[in-house]
Amino acid sequence: MREPDATVIGLDEVRRDMGALVGGKAAGLGEMIAAGERVPPGFCVTTTALSRGDVPAREIAEAYGRLGGGPVAVRSSATTEDLPEASFAGQQDTYLDVDGADAVVDAVRRCRDSLDNARAVAYREANEVEEADARIAVVVQSMVDAATAGVMFTADPVTGSRSRTVVDAVPGLGTGVVDGTAEPDHYVLDEDRIAEGSGGCLSGEQVRALASAGRRLQRLFSSPQDVEWAHDRDGGLWLLQSRPVTTLFPLPPQDVPDPPRLYMEVGNMQGMLRPFTPMGISLLENVWTHGWRAFGAPGETAGSTPFMVDIGRRLYVDITSPLRNPWSRSGLARSMEVYGPRVRAAVEHLYDDPRFAPRPGPSVPVGTVLAMTAALLPPIMIGSGRALIDPPAARARAYEAVERWRSLRGPGSEADAAERVEWVLDDAFDAMLGPDLVEVIGPVGAGLLTIMAPAALLRGVASRQETDTVLGGAPHNVTMRMNLELWRMAERARAHHDLFTATPPGELAERYLHGELPDVGMARFLDRYGHRTAAEVDIGVPRWREDPTQVFGVIAEHLRSPGGEQAPDRRHARAATVAESMLAELERRAVRARPVRGLLAAFLMRRSRELSGMREYAKFAWLVPFAEMRRQLSMAGEELASRGLLDRAEDLFFLEPDELRAAAREDVDHRETVAERRRFHRRELRRRSVPATLLTDGTDVTTTLPRPPMVEGGFLGVPAAPGRVEGRARVVLDPAGARVEPGEILVAPTTDPGWTPLFMTAAGLVSDTGSAIAHGPTVAREYGIPAVICVPDATTVIRTGDLLRVDGVEGTVTVLEHAPKDDG
């Protein structure tokens, strides 16, 4: 290996572990040459040489002479380039057909200077790459006199399928493909079969040879590759560059029986599209496992496929067995409607796929689910029946159960990390899944019944908009009560208006935790609701009790709002008045049209006013013991950090349960593991789109479907809360510190209760994903604000400031006026 002070290195001397000296592009080219691939000869001017000041002109000229002179390509090779997590494609400069030693030296100098051009700096900032880590080398290679050239992806970059190879080709140089200025010939291969594209500038033999080279490179670099290539005038294939495809969603498990499997993302039902921490998703799987045992149902047996699956640190479920099962297959697509029309369409699309054809014989996951249903159904039915008969008593029993959970405490101050870990991973779940759970889920089940049944009973008599209106302003919704308490706290803070509006929320949170703020009721609020936060189903996310920054942001926003008739308490009261009036009208109409069915519908609608708010209570309830579990884990993390096994206490949440046990019991050092997982977590936090349905080979099934129909000037989604409103869009990707001015329409990826404080000033809601029975739409209906969900890529195609019309009846979002583009 060359010394680190080397100035110029031949590409045939470069290997992949020399990235710090030669940059990502040169390291890849050198490895390709060592593997026997046909790569144009060349050399690399190293990072060491280019960091000393002026470029080493003499050494470059000598290397150019040894190359034989003639036209060359001069390209950047930064240390931050061609990485698995960021390609930096096109961010630094490239110069082609450079001829003559002086011209080559000048091109090398300009490539070096492009390390700090505006687009490269912005790209590094967007991808959280430290400036100190960015150094540049430059590759000089002989030009290929190209007859055809282009780009190949060894995985389909649109659908994510690892079974497909995609090739774009043009006559001559491939720059038109790379920079997007040419219309290329497009070829798609499934294995060796050309599925799309014929004729054009490549023969079938050339396309298959390219795919074969792509598979070799994929094996060489152990990941799907983005390959630049060229054929010379004699038809010889040259490989010009190979780098990882950085945009693909992570693959599902590959060591599964009977592939392909179909996985459906369900985290969005809990308002969770961001990645979980490893401990967060592991504990949800633990809830599932302990749930089987608690209710006496058989768990997943050895060799069976798991029902809950971690893919890209998102929560998916395997629905392959019900899709292949002749009994459950027919109703599966209809049941998927609750997850949105695109998911239902994906399942319907696979009905015609022979790989998912009905199969005889038992379906293990379906049988397991049926067994658990049999175990759960009697207590749920009994609890729901009791709630329908006497809602106040059922609510009281649920409230008492949660108060008992509030008293749950893990090991005391004398316990060590191992004892705390064992309590969290075993004992705490037994407390969560005991008799108190039945007291909570009974009224929740009754609430869901009273939400959904009236619409079915009144079909043809009342519209869905009318039955949804009955749910507005319902009492007994714990999330609504939380938000109204936030409003009352803001009212108490009006005496200190300037302090709470002029001070950044993060600073207010720090001052509160140090006892330096006026008392506006924050301690009482956090005592009741401090176990909540956005993305709260992930135990790795800090709770409001630990970091109340978002709460102070909401208070400041309320203080800036005009109040009056748009105050949250008045909006809630108006929604309740409208709901009661609609209920009376529907009762009269239904009883006249269908007396028996009408009386039943009226009974359920009245019960919905008593019980629909309990829809939110189950999640609120089980997050109470979750908070104690997080407290115990945090204390264990502090001990492990003090023992030098972690860098800081919160690193514990980036471990799996078995790793945590090993650290606590055996002093296993996991700092390197945590560092890598944190890097992955940061990358996934930047991902704007999460596949709703995935096959084993990485195919996002929804991307293979026709795009949903457009409405003139806008988009079609799913109606989730009735009403129509116009207002300016406010696109929010993270509720922490976000502002929604009164009258603005909140546009979000998805929502959970941690988002709902923003509803108190929002005039409407639009989201990328969701379900009509999920938390966000439920609260939107009770506030009486229109909501449209499952609008594909809403947070991408809609910009803050766009004037929108949201129709929560038709499920449409219309852009009436686009906001000016920000040229900055």
Side-chain angles (χ1 to χ4, degrees):
M1 177 175 173
R2 281 297 188 99
E3 295 298 321
D5 62 349
T7 299
V8 174
I9 304 178
L11 288 179
D12 57 351
E13 299 178 72
V14 170
R15 295 297 180 270
R16 73 175 78 187
D17 59 357
M18 297 168 63
L21 183 64
V22 300
K25 185 181 281 100
L29 290 169
E31 198 69 22
M32 291 159 65
I33 292 170
E37 298 294 346
R38 200 166 185 232
V39 175
F43 60 88
C44 177
V45 187
T46 66
T47 59
T48 301
L50 295 179
S51 63
R52 290 172 177 163
D54 203 6
V55 300
R58 180 178 60 80
E59 291 89 340
I60 293 171
E62 290 174 354
Y64 175 67
R66 290 194 296 272
L67 194 61
V72 294
V74 181
R75 300 186 292 164
S76 66
S77 180
T79 54
T80 53
E81 202 168 326
D82 293 2
L83 302 176
E85 65 273 16
S87 69
F88 276 79
Q91 302 308 308
Q92 279 94 217
D93 289 350
T94 290
Y95 299 97
L96 303 179
D97 279 321
V98 180
D99 201 350
D102 291 342
V104 171
V105 170
D106 183 59
V108 169
R109 182 180 295 109
R110 284 184 284 161
C111 270
R112 180 203 61 187
D113 294 344
S114 72
L115 177 69
D116 294 319
N117 67 37
R119 65 177 182 269
V121 171
Y123 190 94
R124 287 197 292 273
E125 290 176 352
N127 285 277
E128 300 180 0
V129 174
E130 295 290 337
E131 287 296 318
D133 295 336
R135 303 177 70 198
I136 196 167
V138 174
V139 170
V140 179
Q141 287 178 282
S142 295
M143 285 290 298
V144 175
D145 183 15
T148 55
V151 175
M152 168 175 56
F153 288 87
T154 66
D156 191 324
V158 176
T159 69
S161 172
R162 272 56 160 199
S163 302
R164 308 185 102 197
T165 299
V166 177
V167 176
D168 282 345
V170 293
L173 289 175
T175 51
V177 177
V178 175
D179 61 24
T181 59
E183 183 69 30
D185 296 323
H186 185 70
Y187 307 87
V188 177
L189 292 91
D190 286 321
E191 303 302 335
D192 267 340
R193 183 181 66 86
I194 299 178
E196 295 178 28
S198 60
C201 62
L202 297 183
S203 67
E205 182 181 348
Q206 287 177 313
V207 173
R208 280 185 281 271
L210 275 167
S212 178
R215 287 193 293 272
R216 293 196 303 271
L217 293 176
Q218 182 166 289
R219 286 193 297 271
L220 177 64
F221 295 111
S222 302
S223 69
Q225 296 291 295
D226 166 4
V227 183
E228 293 181 25
W229 56 270
H231 288 116
D232 60 27
R233 298 294 172 180
D234 296 324
L237 174 62
W238 296 88
L239 301 177
L240 310 179
Q241 177 174 307
S242 187
R243 61 184 172 218
V245 182
T246 60
T247 57
L248 297 172
F249 192 73
L251 274 173
Q254 297 298 292
D255 55 341
V256 293
D258 204 11
R261 314 292 302 179
L262 174 62
Y263 303 95
M264 182 181 69
E265 195 276 328
V266 294
N268 73 84
M269 286 288 285
Q270 296 295 333
M272 186 72 180
L273 283 180
R274 56 176 281 161
F276 282 81
T277 60
M279 185 59 62
I281 205 163
S282 294
L283 288 194
L284 283 185
E285 292 168 349
N286 246 7
V287 170
W288 176 258
T289 302
H290 281 75
W292 294 109
R293 293 204 292 258
F295 290 97
E300 291 159 357
T301 58
S304 67
T305 57
F307 178 62
M308 294 176 61
V309 184
D310 171 358
I311 307 176
R313 295 299 181 197
R314 273 78 174 191
L315 185 60
Y316 283 78
V317 295
D318 185 339
I319 60 171
T320 312
S321 293
L323 178 57
R324 287 174 173 159
N325 185 277
W327 297 99
S328 57
R329 177 183 178 86
S330 60
L332 183 63
R334 287 193 304 275
S335 70
M336 293 296 104
E337 186 68 38
V338 70
Y339 295 97
R342 298 286 284 172
V343 173
R344 174 173 179 167
V347 172
E348 290 175 334
H349 174 72
L350 293 177
Y351 280 167
D352 297 325
D353 189 322
R355 298 174 298 174
F356 293 97
R359 299 183 181 184
S363 172
V364 173
V366 170
T368 307
V369 170
L370 289 176
M372 189 170 188
T373 302
L376 283 171
L377 196 56
I380 291 177
M381 290 184 66
I382 292 170
S384 297
R386 294 170 72 195
L388 287 170
I389 293 168
D390 190 347
R395 290 196 304 270
R397 287 191 295 270
Y399 298 156
E400 289 167 4
V402 171
E403 289 308 310
R404 287 191 290 272
W405 277 345
R406 284 188 187 279
S407 65
L408 179 69
R409 288 293 179 270
S413 58
E414 300 302 316
D416 62 18
E419 291 171 308
R420 298 187 193 283
V421 168
E422 290 307 318
W423 181 84
V424 169
L425 297 181
D426 288 319
D427 299 344
F429 288 106
D430 294 333
M432 287 178 66
L433 298 167
D436 285 335
L437 178 62
V438 176
E439 298 293 0
V440 171
I441 62 178
V444 170
L448 287 172
L449 174 65
T450 61
I451 288 172
M452 296 184 291
L457 289 169
L458 297 179
R459 190 172 291 119
V461 176
S463 69
R464 184 60 185 259
Q465 176 190 3
E466 291 172 318
T467 56
D468 280 352
T469 299
V470 172
L471 303 173
H476 316 303
N477 183 316
V478 67
T479 301
M480 182 68 68
R481 287 179 172 179
M482 175 187 78
N483 291 337
L484 290 175
E485 180 55 34
L486 268 171
W487 169 255
R488 287 188 285 270
M489 195 159 43
E491 289 295 286
R492 291 191 288 271
R494 286 195 184 277
H496 313 280
H497 180 279
D498 292 347
L499 170 65
F500 282 93
T501 56
T503 309
E507 183 179 334
L508 287 170
E510 284 290 325
R511 292 175 64 176
Y512 166 76
L513 294 173
H514 287 90
E516 299 171 357
L517 286 183
D519 181 14
V520 296
M522 181 64 73
R524 186 168 60 254
F525 176 86
L526 293 179
D527 182 62
R528 181 76 183 160
Y529 303 107
H531 63 292
R532 309 213 76 170
T533 187
E536 59 196 1
V537 293
D538 182 358
I539 203 169
V541 176
R543 314 287 112 171
W544 285 339
R545 187 175 290 121
E546 303 164 61
D547 180 9
T549 297
Q550 184 188 356
V551 180
F552 281 106
V554 172
I555 290 173
E557 201 58 36
H558 286 327
L559 291 174
R560 296 186 187 101
S561 69
E565 289 304 309
Q566 292 307 308
D569 52 352
R570 296 192 182 183
R571 290 171 65 181
H572 184 255
R574 282 199 304 274
T577 300
V578 170
E580 293 286 356
S581 175
M582 178 61 70
L583 193 159
E585 163 60 25
L586 293 183
E587 182 176 12
R588 288 191 296 270
R589 191 192 307 169
V591 171
R592 283 197 307 268
R594 301 171 183 170
V596 176
R597 186 180 292 191
L599 287 171
L600 178 58
F603 170 78
L604 290 173
M605 283 189 292
R606 293 205 175 278
R607 284 295 187 257
S608 76
R609 303 290 301 160
E610 293 282 322
L611 292 168
S612 64
M614 296 301 290
R615 160 68 180 86
E616 292 291 294
Y617 202 67
K619 185 179 181 185
F620 173 88
W622 68 263
L623 287 170
V624 169
F626 234 49
E628 174 62 12
M629 294 163 68
R630 177 177 166 83
R631 189 177 76 89
Q632 291 289 334
L633 288 174
S634 296
M635 288 190 288
E638 290 171 3
E639 179 184 328
L640 296 180
S642 71
R643 287 156 55 183
L645 305 176
L646 299 172
D647 286 330
R648 47 195 180 276
E650 58 266 29
D651 286 349
L652 173 146
F653 296 102
F654 286 86
L655 298 179
E656 306 280 359
D658 287 345
E659 296 167 339
L660 179 54
R661 284 190 172 104
R665 293 172 178 171
E666 304 165 24
D667 286 348
V668 177
D669 187 334
H670 288 299
R671 285 176 293 182
E672 288 187 11
T673 298
V674 167
E676 175 54 37
R677 287 180 182 164
R678 280 190 174 276
R679 284 192 290 270
F680 178 84
H681 190 76
R682 287 194 296 270
R683 292 200 301 270
E684 287 300 312
L685 281 171
R686 295 194 295 269
R687 190 180 295 278
R688 295 290 296 273
S689 178
V690 176
T693 48
L694 271 178
L695 298 183
T696 307
D697 70 352
T699 301
D700 177 355
V701 183
T702 59
T703 64
T704 67
L705 306 175
R707 293 290 294 175
M710 300 282 287
V711 295
E712 185 175 353
F715 315 97
L716 182 64
V718 173
R724 297 178 179 87
V725 69
E726 293 183 9
R728 296 287 177 182
R730 173 72 65 174
V731 179
V732 177
L733 302 180
D734 185 340
R739 295 182 58 179
V740 177
E741 302 287 351
E744 289 185 328
I745 293 168
L746 171 62
V747 182
T750 186
T751 56
D752 70 358
W755 285 76
T756 60
L758 299 176
F759 292 13
M760 291 194 286
T761 49
L765 170 67
V766 177
S767 67
D768 291 340
T769 66
S771 163
I773 64 171
H775 303 279
T778 297
V779 177
R781 286 192 293 271
E782 296 184 6
Y783 270 126
I785 63 174
V788 178
I789 61 174
C790 298
V791 178
D793 304 317
T795 54
T796 300
V797 297
I798 296 173
R799 298 200 309 273
T800 292
D802 285 352
L803 181 61
L804 305 181
R805 177 186 295 132
V806 176
D807 189 327
V809 178
E810 299 296 329
T812 59
V813 179
T814 305
V815 182
L816 303 176
E817 176 184 304
H818 289 287
K821 289 188 176 180
D822 183 0
D823 295 330

